[in-house]
Amino acid sequence: MFKKLLLATLTLLGLAQAQQLTILSHESFNLDKKLVAEFEQKNGIKLRFLKAGDAGEMLNKAILSKAAPVADVIYGFDNSQLSLALEADILQPYASPVLPALRPEFVLDRSYRALPVDYGYVALNYDKAYFKDKPLPQSFAELAKPEFAKLLVVTNPATSSPGLAFLLATVKTFGEDGYLDFWASLRDGGVRVEKGWSEAYYTAFSKSGGDRPLVVSYATSPAAELFYSEKKLDEPPTGNLLLPGSSFLQVEFVGILKGTKQPAAARKFVDWLLSRPVQESIPTEMWIYPTRKDAKLPEVFKWAEVPKAPATLEPRSIAQNRERWVSEWTKVVLQGQSPEAVKKGRK
């Protein structure tokens, strides 16, 4: 007993004196606590997780604090924000030895400043109880009709990564000349806009007690509902509404921030995040898919439908137009301007 107490005391003292590595992330970041403890004890590195709102807020915080970084590593910016992170020049390259184990289609940054950790699909979800005796929209365009728009909650693309992904899906599907008309119809029909995913899903969505039975979330959300249900269920209480063109592929990245005073520890963390044990824990910790090729998925992911044809946009197109698209969305949806006036204002 004495030896065990002594060992535990020495371990705690060791961690207390260990170097601390700060990871800046979005609010949804979550890792297996046992794996985190094993990493800390093995490497003598204490991990400090600094959550900074949704992914958009988090990335803005990293960019604004560029001169005096608030963290050593940043996790959670996605492919719609990748160009912004690279252009801001806040990341340092790291060609991790784990890279060959990752699915190559997600290694989007060949300068290796941003390494893919996970991916998923932003998609419309619906409350099955509400729609038990009511029709669902049969096309993406039909979603903008008043009878459906008033049932929908979306997130602000300026502050929310799923919100930005959904906006990009509308740009891809309806085109430069049509996406603002779609959003104006949603606005006129009574669509609700929330700051971030948590507010939309846990406050406004009817499954969580809100008044909106349609929500922009993820294709894995129904599987998560089943996994966490206190009652034994045969199927999830929510479903995916995978209307053609309405879902968007989202890839999340990790990067080492320039200015870190602990680059070696930061590299160890990145390698560990991409290791098979951590990658196989990610699906039920954050409800997304691991990017590692040999990572196995849990059984509950049979309820996580994969869209047949998710919308995608070239990173260069997103980089060149993202700011304008978000600005135009803000003018139409939040400020009530007409799509025609906004289009005329384009340079």
Side-chain angles (χ1 to χ4, degrees):
M1 177 62 76
F2 175 76
K3 288 183 176 179
K4 289 183 177 179
L5 288 173
L6 179 61
L7 181 60
T9 302
L10 290 174
T11 300
L12 290 173
L13 285 173
L15 281 178
Q17 295 173 350
Q19 61 182 138
Q20 179 172 276
L21 193 74
T22 301
I23 294 89
L24 180 65
S25 76
H26 54 54
E27 289 292 340
S28 300
F29 186 45
N30 196 42
L31 293 173
D32 184 290
K33 291 181 173 57
K34 183 179 177 183
L35 292 175
V36 170
E38 288 177 357
F39 172 85
E40 291 179 329
Q41 291 183 11
K42 179 180 178 181
N43 295 286
I45 299 170
K46 179 68 177 174
L47 298 179
R48 172 178 173 253
F49 298 102
L50 178 59
K51 297 186 177 183
D54 210 311
E57 295 176 83
M58 173 201 71
L59 184 56
N60 286 337
K61 185 178 184 69
I63 293 172
L64 291 174
S65 61
K66 176 181 175 181
V70 296
D72 304 288
V73 175
I74 180 172
Y75 160 84
F77 57 100
D78 67 22
N79 48 320
S80 68
Q81 302 158 327
L82 176 61
S83 57
L84 181 60
L86 297 180
E87 290 168 3
D89 197 25
I90 58 174
L91 306 171
Q92 58 179 272
Y94 176 48
S96 168
V98 186
L99 273 169
L102 306 183
R103 295 178 60 164
E105 65 268 33
F106 297 134
V107 183
L108 302 180
D109 172 33
R110 294 298 174 178
S111 68
Y112 305 124
R113 288 177 289 169
L115 305 183
V117 177
D118 51 68
Y119 70 99
Y121 302 92
V122 172
L124 292 161
N125 285 187
Y126 68 95
D127 182 347
K128 287 182 177 177
Y130 179 88
F131 284 102
K132 183 179 180 181
D133 301 315
K134 302 180 183 67
L136 285 161
Q138 298 301 303
S139 71
F140 201 5
E142 198 174 66
L143 183 68
K145 289 185 174 181
E147 58 265 39
F148 296 118
K150 66 181 180 183
L151 305 178
L152 174 66
V153 57
V154 301
T155 48
N156 188 330
T159 54
S160 160
S161 60
L164 179 57
F166 189 64
L167 170 62
L168 297 179
T170 66
V171 172
K172 174 66 175 181
T173 301
F174 300 110
E176 283 278 1
D177 293 331
Y179 88 97
L180 290 177
D181 297 316
F182 173 82
W183 279 104
S185 295
L186 280 179
R187 176 201 65 197
D188 294 343
V191 70
R192 178 170 170 176
V193 180
E194 291 290 346
K195 174 184 174 184
W197 178 85
S198 295
E199 291 86 349
Y201 198 87
Y202 292 123
T203 302
F205 189 32
S206 58
K207 176 60 181 63
S208 305
D211 63 350
R212 303 296 168 124
L214 291 169
V215 62
V216 172
S217 187
Y218 295 90
T220 51
S221 297
E225 288 285 353
L226 185 75
F227 186 80
Y228 291 116
S229 175
E230 294 181 356
K231 298 179 182 177
K232 184 176 176 56
L233 301 174
D234 294 327
E235 63 177 50
T238 60
N240 283 310
L241 185 59
L242 301 180
L243 303 170
S246 66
S247 58
F248 195 86
L249 173 64
Q250 189 179 46
V251 185
E252 291 187 309
F253 299 91
V254 65
I256 299 173
L257 287 165
K258 279 189 171 179
T260 175
K261 293 182 173 62
Q262 305 177 88
R267 290 193 289 269
K268 281 185 179 178
F269 174 80
V270 170
D271 292 345
W272 172 78
L273 192 61
L274 300 175
S275 68
R276 186 172 174 181
V278 177
Q279 286 275 293
E280 290 187 339
S281 75
I282 279 178
T284 52
E285 292 291 338
M286 295 192 284
W287 297 96
I288 40 185
Y289 294 86
T291 53
R292 193 174 170 113
K293 290 179 286 189
D294 57 358
K296 295 180 180 177
L297 294 174
E299 175 70 15
V300 71
F301 260 54
K302 69 180 182 181
W303 297 105
E305 297 175 86
V306 176
K308 292 180 180 177
T312 59
L313 284 169
E314 289 295 323
R316 177 175 295 181
S317 177
I318 296 174
Q320 293 174 342
N321 299 289
R322 179 191 56 248
E323 188 174 340
R324 174 175 62 81
W325 289 331
V326 172
S327 174
E328 291 183 347
W329 179 92
T330 301
K331 291 175 181 176
V332 170
V333 178
L334 299 185
Q335 299 175 4
Q337 296 186 32
S338 72
E340 292 74 21
V342 173
K343 291 174 192 174
K344 286 181 181 178
R346 291 174 180 168
K347 295 180 180 178

